[in-house]
């Protein structure tokens, strides 16, 4: 049944797009243009759920007959949310703060289908341990991979992988979509 089902991904993330293609799903992409206000005072889990749901609802209201998936991924260090860096200096600052430390990656995922009264939102957390980075490591990474479109200023799937000591939790969650949890809920909705 899932292979014959079509839905909308409310995200322009190439990583989410690739993950869904990797598991053989048929979907359209209609990115949400919701502005994420990082001054919103919510705990990190609620923050990701809030923005994932807002993205899904925005697209879902215009596509009442479709199941819309919204997602939001953040990096959390010392209870502070790190979003996407504003520029190279911000990227350097973020990566320097993560150096030699453990941080959390939390992704909120929302399923919104107006026609069928589906409104489900979850979050998943993964702990990521980064080795100590030199300034040269950081500059080389930024200049080579240009991570300004990534929460926390790194991609676990790209050249930054050499700096990951270990993770506790879902690897795909760090990429932007906890595939196993996502698929379990998707199955429950459409079967």
């Amino acid at each position: 049944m899932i292979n014959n089902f079509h839905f909308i991904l409310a995200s322009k993330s190439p990583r989410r797009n690739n993950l869904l293609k990797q598991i053989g799903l048929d979907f359209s992409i209609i990115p949400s243009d919701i502005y994420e206000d990082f001054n919103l005072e919510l705990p990190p889990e609620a923050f990701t759920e809030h923005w994932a749901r807002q993205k899904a609802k925005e697209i879902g209201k215009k596509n009442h007959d479709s199941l819309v998936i919204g997602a939001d991924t953040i990096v959390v260090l010392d209870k502070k949310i790190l979003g996407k860096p504003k520029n190279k200096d911000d990227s350097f600052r973020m990566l320097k703060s993560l150096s030699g430390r453990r941080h959390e990656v939390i992704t909120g995922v929302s399923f919104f289908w107006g026609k069928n009264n589906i409104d489900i939102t979850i979050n998943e957390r993964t702990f990521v341990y980064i080795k100590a980075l030199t300034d040269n490591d950081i500059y080389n990474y930024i200049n080579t991979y240009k991570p300004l479109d990534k929460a926390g200023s790194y991609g676990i799937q790209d050249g930054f992988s050499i700096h990951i000591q270990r993770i506790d939790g879902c690897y795909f969650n760090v990429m932007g979509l906890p595939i196993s949890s996502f698929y379990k809920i998707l199955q429950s909705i459409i079967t």
Side-chain angles (χ1 to χ4, degrees):
M1 175 81 178
I2 285 180
N3 290 337
N4 298 325
F5 187 81
H6 183 267
F7 64 91
I8 297 171
L9 175 63
S11 171
K12 61 184 171 193
S13 163
R15 292 159 297 281
R16 291 187 185 113
N17 182 351
N18 289 339
L19 287 172
L20 294 178
K21 285 180 179 175
Q22 177 179 307
I23 61 172
L25 296 183
D26 182 25
F27 60 98
S28 296
I29 297 173
I30 304 177
S32 163
D33 59 6
I34 291 279
Y35 168 75
E36 288 182 55
D37 180 0
F38 276 82
N39 295 318
L40 186 65
E41 293 188 24
L42 290 172
E45 299 85 355
F47 183 93
T48 61
E49 288 187 11
H50 172 81
W51 291 116
R53 187 168 183 266
Q54 291 304 309
K55 293 171 187 178
K57 278 180 65 177
E58 180 205 16
I59 301 304
K61 286 180 182 178
K62 300 170 193 163
N63 297 276
H64 196 71
D65 292 338
S66 298
L67 174 59
V68 179
I69 308 302
D72 188 64
T73 301
I74 58 171
V75 168
V76 180
L77 180 68
D78 298 329
K79 299 182 183 178
K80 182 179 176 194
I81 295 172
L82 304 180
K84 296 174 184 175
K86 297 175 184 70
N87 52 43
K88 284 185 176 184
D89 290 339
D90 196 28
S91 180
F92 180 87
R93 182 189 57 75
M94 283 186 190
L95 293 172
K96 190 76 170 172
S97 72
L98 297 173
S99 175
R101 304 195 55 205
R102 178 189 89 162
H103 64 274
E104 303 167 70
V105 177
I106 304 171
T107 299
V109 182
S110 188
F111 302 79
F112 188 84
W113 194 354
K115 174 181 160 184
N116 291 332
N117 295 316
I118 301 290
D119 188 355
I120 300 169
T121 305
I122 63 161
N123 74 75
E124 187 150 334
R125 171 190 325 264
T126 302
F127 293 99
V128 181
Y129 299 77
I130 307 293
K131 74 175 194 172
L133 304 171
T134 66
D135 288 0
N136 196 42
D137 289 334
I138 296 171
Y139 286 124
N140 283 340
Y141 176 71
I142 292 169
N143 291 329
T144 303
Y145 292 94
K146 302 175 183 15
L148 300 183
D149 66 332
K150 297 173 179 67
S153 196
Y154 75 89
I156 195 168
Q157 73 285 352
D158 64 25
F160 198 75
S161 59
I162 64 172
H163 303 300
I164 306 292
Q165 286 183 321
R166 76 173 206 262
I167 66 167
D168 292 335
C170 176
Y171 169 83
F172 300 107
N173 188 51
V174 183
M175 287 180 66
L177 195 65
I179 287 294
S180 182
S181 300
F182 164 84
Y183 197 78
K184 181 178 179 183
I185 291 176
L186 184 63
Q187 279 185 307
S188 73
I189 291 171
I190 64 174
T191 54

